[in-house]
Amino acid sequence: MHGNTNNKVFIIETLSDPACLSCISSLFFILSCSPWRIVDDCGGAFTMGAIGGGVFQSIKGFRNAPAGVGHRLRGSANAVRVRAPQIGGSFAVWGGLFSTIDCGLVRIRGKEDPWNSITSGALTGAILAARSGPLTMMGSAMMGGILLALIEGFGILLTRYTAQQFQNPLPFVDDPSQLPPKDGGQQQGAKGQFQ
């Protein structure tokens, strides 16, 4: 039991040391870009693509099927079965490549900021369009960079807005006309009444 307490004290002393905090923050950025993060982002992107693609394809399959509720439901289910995994796979490739580039930029630059995400979006768009030629690569890179810049900018604005809501309010300032007189009410006795 005594050894456990010493470990806690050591951890608290280590975390309170300013020189050690920079090491911990550098270690955090290195560990936050582990291969597990890339796999996790890839899986999350697949899930989003499969669910979103499933919803979209179910509507599309329902509308394009022959008349009759039974035919429309089968058309909807068939469209989801065929297309949703493909859309999920496309999202997974995008998410995995984006996360890999983002982690590489964090490792190279040594800091995590919005420029990493914007650059990662642009490079991901360019790499995925590489088979279509340089002009298409440029267009996809611009779209990826602009899209990520909008997302990052919206995130920064949202963070600033919510941070303002939770700031400590200014203390109430007493209205001087409502305060009692400084001499303790003797002024009232001398005049008899308030004017």
Side-chain angles (χ1 to χ4, degrees), residues 17 182 194:
D17 182 16
K182 290 184 180 179
F194 282 114

Side-chain angles (χ1 to χ4, degrees), residues 5-189:
T5 307
N6 286 338
N7 288 340
K8 289 179 184 176
V9 170
F10 174 74
I11 290 171
I12 292 171
E13 288 175 355
T14 304
L15 291 177
S16 63
D17 182 16
C20 187
L21 283 178
S22 65
C23 297
I24 290 172
S25 65
S26 298
L27 182 65
F28 172 75
F29 288 130
I30 292 169
L31 292 178
S32 70
C33 282
S34 67
W36 296 115
R37 176 184 169 194
I38 296 169
V39 172
D40 184 48
D41 288 351
C42 202
F46 176 82
T47 304
M48 285 191 305
I51 291 172
V55 169
F56 181 77
Q57 290 300 320
S58 67
I59 294 169
K60 185 177 176 184
F62 188 84
R63 291 181 66 193
N64 292 335
V69 176
H71 292 293
R72 290 189 185 268
L73 290 177
R74 277 192 297 277
S76 177
N78 192 36
V80 169
R81 183 182 58 80
V82 171
R83 289 288 296 151
Q86 293 173 352
I87 295 170
S90 297
F91 271 69
V93 168
W94 197 95
L97 187 58
F98 174 84
S99 185
T100 302
I101 294 170
D102 192 36
C103 287
L105 288 173
V106 168
R107 178 75 172 147
I108 290 169
R109 296 182 67 223
K111 60 183 174 179
E112 179 95 33
D113 62 359
W115 289 110
N116 290 345
S117 295
I118 294 168
T119 306
S120 298
L123 288 174
T124 300
I127 290 170
L128 291 177
R131 293 173 50 189
S132 300
L135 190 61
T136 307
M137 282 178 67
M138 283 278 260
S140 293
M142 287 177 55
M143 284 303 294
I146 290 170
L147 179 67
L148 265 296
L150 289 172
I151 291 170
E152 289 292 325
F154 181 73
I156 291 169
L157 288 175
L158 189 64
T159 302
R160 286 186 182 171
Y161 176 72
T162 55
Q164 288 176 356
Q165 287 182 337
F166 296 108
Q167 285 181 347
N168 291 334
L170 294 173
F172 290 111
V173 179
D174 292 330
D175 185 10
S177 65
Q178 302 296 323
L179 293 175
K182 290 184 180 179
D183 53 356
Q186 293 175 0
Q187 191 176 18
Q188 180 184 0

